[in-house]
Amino acid sequence: MNSNIRSSNPRPTTRGPVLIAFECVMGLIFVSFTAVLIGILIEIVGSYTIWKGQGVNHARGLVEQDLGYIAAAPKSLIVDDTVAFSEKMIGYIALPFEKFGILKWYAATVNPDAPSEAVAAEQNKQSSGAKLKKSLTGTTGEVMKFVSKLLVMLMYVTMDVALRLSIALYALPAFILACLVGAVDGLVRRDLRRWSGGRESSFVYHHAKNYTRWALTGGFALYLAWPFGGFNPALMVLVFTVLVAATLSTTIAAFKKYV
């Protein structure tokens, strides 16, 4: 009977450091692709509603703005020259779009050659069949123009997400320091609770742990896909470092007194 119970309730397997690192890398890739997808959808909808008429200029403006924020902090503990690193990174992203002629294609669809007066007069004398053919050609041209604009938007959104990932890389020492401060503060509070006979609360522990995960994943993904300008990355670093430190401290402090 006991053997049946043991076989039906196997012991949970613990995750090693390699598996945890792999999950973190895959999670970062998933968050990045999700941010690009959400960003391109927001750009498409916004180009017809919020920032109507701007086209790809809105996405280009976000990239230029993020480059300006990076130029304000040209050095980091991880990267010596943040500006050169960021420009090289967006250059790699733009390389396939230039190599396959997508940028030239977009420029040709946005600024087509205007027909001369003689050609325009000849077009007015065309038959109904020729006019129908011209209408179909115009529709095809509009579709090609939309597709080319979509691809250029995709390039700029990918650049913007990559720049924000690089900003998070530059701010990584601040996040590590915040985690250390939160861990030390949480351990001190846990020892005080243990030696003073304080009560344990699994409710606080589990909720604080979930908030810590959200601060490290969901909030970061929201920053990557943020479609509006004027958001200084320094404010993001300040908010999320404080949030991570506070939630991690609460998680460790609420951990059970005796292991």
Side-chain angles (χ1 to χ4, degrees), residues 10-241:
R11 296 178 60 184
T13 58
T14 58
R15 296 181 301 172
V18 177
L19 182 58
I20 294 176
F22 177 76
E23 290 179 352
C24 291
V25 172
M26 295 304 296
L28 181 61
I29 295 174
F30 175 77
V31 167
S32 301
F33 277 103
T34 303
V36 171
L37 178 61
I38 295 175
I40 190 64
L41 291 177
I42 293 175
E43 285 293 333
I44 293 173
V45 175
S47 63
Y48 292 99
T49 55
I50 303 175
W51 44 83
K52 187 176 182 180
Q54 295 187 22
V56 301
N57 293 327
H58 179 266
R60 184 191 299 117
L62 291 178
V63 174
E64 294 174 352
Q65 188 179 70
D66 285 337
L67 284 174
Y69 287 135
I70 293 174
K75 290 185 179 181
S76 173
L77 293 176
I78 298 178
V79 180
D80 293 333
D81 192 348
T82 59
V83 178
F85 180 82
S86 301
E87 290 178 349
K88 185 182 296 185
M89 184 170 53
I90 63 176
Y92 289 145
I93 296 174
L95 184 61
F97 292 89
E98 295 176 353
K99 185 175 181 180
F100 290 103
I102 295 176
L103 297 180
K104 293 182 180 179
W105 178 33
Y106 172 73
T109 56
V110 172
N111 299 315
D113 296 331
S116 60
E117 294 181 359
V119 175
E122 184 67 23
Q123 290 176 351
N124 292 331
K125 299 178 181 179
Q126 291 176 346
S127 61
S128 58
K131 290 182 179 180
L132 178 60
K133 182 178 179 181
K134 178 184 176 183
S135 177
L136 293 175
T137 304
T139 304
T140 305
E142 289 296 324
V143 173
M144 301 298 284
K145 181 178 179 181
F146 174 77
V147 173
S148 63
K149 182 176 74 171
L150 179 64
L151 292 175
V152 175
M153 282 185 178
L154 176 62
M155 181 188 72
Y156 284 120
V157 170
T158 306
M159 287 181 179
D160 191 48
V161 171
L163 287 176
R164 295 182 181 187
L165 284 173
S166 67
I167 291 173
L169 175 65
Y170 306 149
L172 188 60
F175 282 99
I176 295 176
L177 181 61
C179 290
L180 290 176
V181 171
V184 172
D185 182 70
L187 289 173
V188 172
R189 292 167 57 191
R190 178 174 175 268
D191 283 342
L192 291 175
R193 181 172 58 88
R194 181 172 61 180
W195 294 107
S196 62
R199 295 182 178 180
E200 293 188 357
S201 176
S202 59
F203 176 83
V204 175
Y205 169 74
H206 288 291
H207 279 72
K209 184 171 66 173
N210 292 332
Y211 291 148
T212 303
R213 292 176 181 175
W214 180 89
L216 292 174
T217 56
F220 182 63
L222 178 63
Y223 166 68
L224 290 180
W226 186 254
F228 304 103
F231 188 76
N232 196 325
L235 180 61
M236 182 275 298
V237 173
L238 177 62
V239 170
F240 284 106
T241 50

